[in-house]
Tab-separated table of all heavy atoms in Angstrom:
chain	number	residue	atom	x	y	z
A	381	PHE	N	-92.695	-130.072	41.270
A	381	PHE	CA	-92.119	-129.802	42.510
A	381	PHE	C	-90.596	-129.893	42.413
A	381	PHE	O	-90.082	-130.682	41.638
A	381	PHE	CB	-92.487	-130.919	43.538
A	381	PHE	CG	-93.960	-130.775	44.117
A	381	PHE	CD1	-94.864	-131.837	44.286
A	381	PHE	CD2	-94.321	-129.530	44.508
A	381	PHE	CE1	-96.082	-131.571	44.808
A	381	PHE	CE2	-95.516	-129.319	45.105
A	381	PHE	CZ	-96.371	-130.453	45.244
A	399	ILE	N	-86.511	-121.661	50.615
A	399	ILE	CA	-87.858	-121.690	50.575
A	399	ILE	C	-88.512	-120.738	51.573
A	399	ILE	O	-89.456	-119.864	51.254
A	399	ILE	CB	-88.487	-123.018	50.746
A	399	ILE	CG1	-87.967	-123.950	49.509
A	399	ILE	CG2	-89.911	-123.112	50.886
A	399	ILE	CD1	-88.452	-125.556	49.651
A	403	TYR	N	-90.696	-117.364	51.225
A	403	TYR	CA	-92.114	-117.198	51.962
A	403	TYR	C	-92.219	-116.028	52.699
A	403	TYR	O	-93.139	-115.305	52.789
A	403	TYR	CB	-92.159	-118.477	52.757
A	403	TYR	CG	-93.572	-118.565	53.518
A	403	TYR	CD1	-94.852	-118.830	52.836
A	403	TYR	CD2	-93.652	-118.245	54.845
A	403	TYR	CE1	-96.064	-118.880	53.465
A	403	TYR	CE2	-94.873	-118.359	55.495
A	403	TYR	CZ	-96.060	-118.549	54.834
A	403	TYR	OH	-97.157	-118.563	55.498
A	427	ALA	N	-92.391	-120.947	43.253
A	427	ALA	CA	-93.015	-120.387	44.399
A	427	ALA	C	-92.775	-121.302	45.576
A	427	ALA	O	-92.907	-122.504	45.454
A	427	ALA	CB	-94.568	-120.260	44.080
A	428	PRO	N	-92.768	-120.765	46.824
A	428	PRO	CA	-92.548	-121.562	47.994
A	428	PRO	C	-93.884	-122.397	48.388
A	428	PRO	O	-94.855	-121.751	48.222
A	428	PRO	CB	-92.178	-120.507	49.120
A	428	PRO	CG	-92.739	-119.245	48.618
A	428	PRO	CD	-92.659	-119.266	47.021
A	429	HIS	N	-93.657	-123.455	48.797
A	429	HIS	CA	-94.851	-124.365	49.264
A	429	HIS	C	-94.353	-125.117	50.502
A	429	HIS	O	-93.373	-125.918	50.447
A	429	HIS	CB	-95.150	-125.274	48.166
A	429	HIS	CG	-96.351	-126.107	48.455
A	429	HIS	ND1	-97.676	-125.718	48.543
A	429	HIS	CD2	-96.440	-127.502	48.667
A	429	HIS	CE1	-98.493	-126.728	48.906
A	429	HIS	NE2	-97.637	-127.813	48.887
A	430	ILE	N	-94.984	-124.723	51.605
A	430	ILE	CA	-94.520	-125.251	52.975
A	430	ILE	C	-95.832	-125.930	53.519
A	430	ILE	O	-96.976	-125.300	53.684
A	430	ILE	CB	-94.213	-124.086	53.856
A	430	ILE	CG1	-93.030	-123.426	53.292
A	430	ILE	CG2	-93.862	-124.584	55.230
A	430	ILE	CD1	-92.406	-122.244	53.995
A	431	THR	N	-95.824	-127.168	53.905
A	431	THR	CA	-96.714	-127.944	54.604
A	431	THR	C	-96.195	-128.626	55.830
A	431	THR	O	-94.991	-128.568	55.931
A	431	THR	CB	-97.281	-129.039	53.638
A	431	THR	OG1	-96.376	-130.008	53.454
A	431	THR	CG2	-97.855	-128.447	52.332
A	434	TYR	N	-94.039	-131.607	54.323
A	434	TYR	CA	-92.746	-131.466	53.462
A	434	TYR	C	-92.742	-129.999	53.039
A	434	TYR	O	-93.726	-129.119	53.238
A	434	TYR	CB	-92.931	-132.260	52.221
A	434	TYR	CG	-94.126	-132.024	51.391
A	434	TYR	CD1	-93.955	-131.145	50.107
A	434	TYR	CD2	-95.432	-132.484	51.511
A	434	TYR	CE1	-95.012	-130.947	49.293
A	434	TYR	CE2	-96.520	-132.221	50.673
A	434	TYR	CZ	-96.196	-131.307	49.679
A	434	TYR	OH	-97.280	-131.161	48.787
A	435	GLU	N	-91.643	-129.650	52.482
A	435	GLU	CA	-91.445	-128.244	51.849
A	435	GLU	C	-90.874	-128.473	50.335
A	435	GLU	O	-90.106	-129.253	50.127
A	435	GLU	CB	-90.436	-127.475	52.681
A	435	GLU	CG	-90.821	-127.326	54.113
A	435	GLU	CD	-89.723	-126.600	54.965
A	435	GLU	OE1	-88.597	-126.515	54.491
A	435	GLU	OE2	-89.953	-126.226	56.218
A	436	ALA	N	-91.301	-127.546	49.552
A	436	ALA	CA	-90.865	-127.605	48.097
A	436	ALA	C	-91.092	-126.429	47.420
A	436	ALA	O	-91.678	-125.445	47.972
A	436	ALA	CB	-91.541	-128.768	47.492
A	437	LEU	N	-90.492	-126.279	46.282
A	437	LEU	CA	-90.688	-125.153	45.333
A	437	LEU	C	-91.781	-125.573	44.344
A	437	LEU	O	-91.554	-126.699	43.661
A	437	LEU	CB	-89.457	-124.628	44.762
A	437	LEU	CG	-88.464	-123.846	45.653
A	437	LEU	CD1	-87.053	-123.699	44.917
A	437	LEU	CD2	-88.994	-122.624	46.114
A	438	VAL	N	-92.690	-124.879	44.036
A	438	VAL	CA	-93.658	-125.161	42.930
A	438	VAL	C	-93.171	-124.320	41.715
A	438	VAL	O	-93.156	-123.201	41.671
A	438	VAL	CB	-95.071	-124.875	43.342
A	438	VAL	CG1	-96.019	-125.157	42.217
A	438	VAL	CG2	-95.526	-125.668	44.603
Side-chain angles (χ1 to χ4, degrees):
F381 281 136
I399 293 172
Y403 180 80
H429 182 67
I430 301 175
T431 68
Y434 68 93
E435 299 173 350
L437 291 172
V438 177

